[in-house]
Amino acid sequence: MSDRLYIFDTTLRDGEQVPGCQLNTVEKIQVAKQLEALGVDVIEAGFPISSPGDFNSVIEISKAVTWPTICALTRAVEKDIDCAAEALKYAKRKRIHTGIGTSDSHIRYKFNSTREEIIERAVAAVKYARRYVDDVEFYAEDAGRTDNEYLARVVEAVIKAGATVVNIPDTTGYCLPHEYGAKIKYLMDHVDGIDRAIISTHCHNDLGMATACTLEGILNGARQAEVTINGIGERAGNTSEEEIAMILKCHHLDIQTNINTRKIASTSRMISSLMNMPVQPNKAIVGRNAFAHSSGIHQDGVLKNVETYEIINPKDVGIDDNSIILTARSGHAALKHRLEVLGISLDEEKLNDIYARFLDLADKKKEVTDDDILVLAGAERAASHHIKLDYLQVTSGCGVRPMAAISIDIAGEKFQAAAEGNGPVDAAINALKIIIRREMTLKEFTIQAINRGSNDVGKVHMQVEYNGSVYYGFGANTDIVAASVEAYIDAINKFPASLGKA
Ligand code: KIV
Ligand code: ZN
């Protein structure tokens, strides 16, 4: 009989902590339902005490999802635990995830405490959480840099106090894979009562070792892996869910997950699109090039027998290589089907809107790609913005000073301005700033032409600083200057409501 590995998805908690990737409650519910369809065992839905938005999302996800356990994060603090228990009240299966830092640096600098006091606080938090729920997970923050002997004492104490799962985070992504594996083995060998709890991995990718560390943890006895789709997460991210699922599948390690791997590609695209977080083209499993053989030798081999260079069948991760190519002659049903394959289901009214814009784009391009469709679906959200681009006219070229004339719609009222700049984007943004009279600074600006010819849609990602905070904006258009202005306006729409107005 093979072993079972529980997949704990923290895309909506650790993943969502990435600046600019915040989702609203409706989007989180959409993601949670997709994660349920993917087959994850646990969804970490948020950190309820951290904001009313997180609290509300945990409530709504708890109502919307049936099978996975819904988990809420807390510090080892009673008011956090009270708040998490309240947020989880509608969950069919619920878990409180509480914990505290255990490395010497956390104990000394973060808590100004002692090792003994930290054990007492850990035990008290677990006991307090058990008053609300039967399933309590404890995390020993910075366990990666915690001395193994002390860590074993913490783990033993929290299991005795009632923890059902104990999470061993490599919070800073520092561990070498063999060290992390040895840490898990040390706990398996030295903690009394370890068989009464599940040991969980939680690795960060600061040195690019998160997946390797997680795998070593699993091979040494961990039976839960904490992961995110596309490996998103703070800094360099968390362990990538699709990589763990496919490693276990490809290597026949006799450790099973409940993941329906055919839903990996659509889940990845949905997360990337909703969070405006592009997936690097060479990302394992879900990158655009993950299955693209471009060298002549490889293409020749693959044509003779795919096994020569392909260790994963793209269909196993839901990449349908026989997908229909959409063109201006494609019907409504073909677009609907493609959206569904991409993990997006829309009501008829929204579908009609996207179809109209799809036809418009298909007139400008020969083939409409999946990336284009995701952009169209994303633009649907921009339609509800308070501030919208009405029109933009730009003059630029060699020997002329770039000029832009712009019209902006703010809650139904139109405002026009014109300005010069050192390039067409600069001129357009200067004109926009005449209308939106705020001290805003462009911090980051990335233009990503999608993949094919010069008629392709360009995507622009931006970060705009305003009043001490940084706001993320995204725009997509076949005209790259218009995409840049759309991205700037997207960021402005995220300013606090009363400040967004001109
Ligand atoms: O990385 C970490 O230590 C965490 C904990 C809060 C579980 O995310
Ligand atoms: Zn983490």
Side-chain angles (χ1 to χ4, degrees):
M1 166 114 165
S2 66
D3 266 5
R4 173 82 154 82
L5 177 78
Y6 295 98
I7 296 292
F8 177 113
D9 184 290
T10 185
T11 307
L12 291 173
R13 201 277 301 170
D14 229 355
E16 216 244 350
Q17 280 174 218
V18 181
C21 284
Q22 279 64 41
L23 301 177
N24 62 37
T25 303
V26 173
E27 291 165 334
K28 285 188 188 174
I29 292 170
Q30 207 182 329
V31 170
K33 287 187 156 173
Q34 179 72 17
L35 294 174
E36 179 171 40
L38 179 68
V40 308
D41 298 289
V42 184
I43 296 175
E44 189 163 46
F47 182 11
I49 194 93
S50 68
S51 71
D54 250 40
F55 178 81
N56 195 39
S57 298
V58 175
I59 293 198
E60 295 307 325
I61 291 170
S62 299
K63 289 183 193 160
V65 160
T66 309
W67 298 112
T69 295
I70 304 301
C71 180
L73 185 79
T74 80
R75 294 166 298 181
V77 171
E78 287 190 0
K79 69 173 183 337
D80 285 30
I81 298 171
D82 295 335
C83 182
E86 175 66 16
L88 287 169
K89 69 181 172 204
Y90 297 106
K92 289 100 200 157
R93 297 179 172 83
K94 52 185 94 177
R95 177 182 297 176
I96 292 177
H97 189 190
T98 189
I100 195 162
T102 54
S103 65
D104 286 338
S105 78
H106 277 226
I107 295 175
R108 192 153 151 214
Y109 301 116
K110 196 166 152 186
F111 301 111
N112 188 21
S113 185
T114 62
R115 285 184 165 192
E116 296 315 310
E117 207 176 275
I118 290 295
I119 295 187
E120 279 168 30
R121 287 170 71 172
V123 165
V126 170
K127 286 189 174 159
Y128 192 73
R130 279 298 301 253
R131 287 163 51 174
Y132 285 114
V133 291
D134 292 335
D135 190 2
V136 172
E137 173 168 342
F138 175 81
Y139 64 87
E141 194 179 7
D142 205 16
R145 293 186 302 169
T146 301
D147 143 61
N148 286 351
E149 222 175 292
Y150 174 63
L151 185 62
R153 286 181 51 213
V154 175
V155 173
E156 195 165 302
V158 294
I159 294 176
K160 222 164 162 188
T164 44
V165 181
V166 184
N167 177 12
I168 310 298
D170 182 19
T171 306
T172 59
Y174 178 74
C175 283
L176 292 168
H178 74 275
E179 279 171 356
Y180 189 77
K183 190 175 281 290
I184 301 294
K185 179 158 172 35
Y186 185 89
L187 299 175
M188 301 308 290
D189 291 344
H190 291 86
V191 171
D192 260 0
I194 193 91
D195 48 331
R196 294 205 307 274
I198 290 172
I199 295 296
S200 182
T201 64
H202 179 117
C203 299
H204 281 266
N205 205 29
D206 299 71
L207 291 169
M209 298 188 290
T211 297
C213 284
T214 298
L215 184 63
E216 280 296 322
I218 296 167
L219 295 176
N220 282 284
R223 283 297 169 266
Q224 178 178 278
E226 305 197 1
V227 288
T228 61
I229 298 292
N230 300 337
I232 62 164
E234 269 194 286
R235 309 184 308 280
N238 289 55
T239 304
S240 144
E241 187 158 334
E242 59 278 7
E243 290 172 18
I244 292 300
M246 291 315 291
I247 289 169
L248 296 181
K249 191 175 170 117
C250 288
H251 279 271
H252 308 290
L253 291 175
D254 222 16
I255 300 174
Q256 306 298 327
T257 69
N258 190 42
I259 296 293
N260 175 356
T261 62
R262 287 177 172 260
K263 298 218 176 271
I264 284 177
S266 54
T267 310
S268 160
R269 284 169 180 155
M270 176 196 266
I271 303 290
S272 166
S273 146
L274 287 177
M275 291 191 165
N276 284 327
M277 181 93 168
V279 174
Q280 72 192 62
N282 59 329
K283 164 81 181 66
I285 319 293
V286 291
R288 194 172 65 232
N289 297 345
F291 300 99
H293 300 275
S294 53
S295 92
I297 296 174
H298 283 209
Q299 283 181 348
D300 181 55
V302 167
L303 286 173
K304 287 177 175 143
N305 184 329
V306 287
E307 280 180 20
T308 51
Y309 286 101
E310 224 166 69
I311 58 162
I312 305 168
N313 181 343
K315 288 203 170 82
D316 282 351
V317 297
I319 293 175
D320 176 6
D321 46 4
N322 296 320
S323 62
I324 307 163
I325 292 167
L326 297 180
T327 66
R329 282 171 301 286
S330 301
H332 200 266
L335 177 66
K336 184 169 183 225
H337 171 75
R338 202 68 216 144
L339 281 162
E340 279 166 4
V341 169
L342 295 173
I344 301 166
S345 56
L346 298 170
D347 60 33
E348 272 309 299
E349 197 185 330
K350 290 215 170 87
L351 189 66
N352 288 338
D353 287 349
I354 290 194
Y355 186 64
R357 278 181 288 113
F358 158 77
L359 288 180
D360 201 32
L361 179 64
D363 273 344
K364 295 182 195 155
K365 300 185 66 189
K366 280 204 200 89
E367 290 173 5
V368 179
T369 65
D370 286 352
D371 272 335
D372 298 331
I373 292 170
L374 287 166
V375 165
L376 289 176
E380 182 56 38
R381 281 180 288 150
S384 58
H385 279 163
H386 170 76
I387 303 174
K388 297 185 201 117
L389 177 62
D390 177 32
Y391 75 71
L392 173 69
Q393 190 178 15
V394 182
T395 322
S396 73
C398 280
V400 291
R401 178 91 179 134
M403 283 275 310
I406 199 168
S407 169
I408 301 293
D409 178 325
I410 303 179
E413 207 179 329
K414 305 262 167 66
F415 298 84
Q416 281 89 24
E420 292 185 345
N422 62 13
V425 173
D426 189 45
I429 289 175
N430 287 343
L432 175 66
K433 282 179 165 173
I434 293 174
I435 301 172
I436 312 285
R437 291 185 303 274
R438 306 284 168 201
E439 276 300 315
M440 312 173 278
T441 319
L442 182 55
K443 301 298 285 183
E444 226 181 272
F445 178 29
T446 322
I447 298 182
Q448 209 190 5
I450 301 183
N451 40 10
R452 279 154 249 248
S454 58
N455 63 351
D456 219 329
V457 174
K459 296 189 201 173
V460 173
H461 301 269
M462 261 184 195
Q463 295 203 6
V464 178
E465 188 174 344
Y466 171 66
N467 217 13
S469 299
V470 174
Y471 298 87
Y472 174 87
F474 174 75
N477 202 302
T478 46
D479 178 328
I480 208 68
V481 184
S484 306
V485 173
E486 281 169 8
Y488 212 109
I489 293 175
D490 186 38
I492 293 171
N493 273 288
K494 292 174 185 160
F495 293 0
S498 58
L499 302 172
K501 297 186 183 79

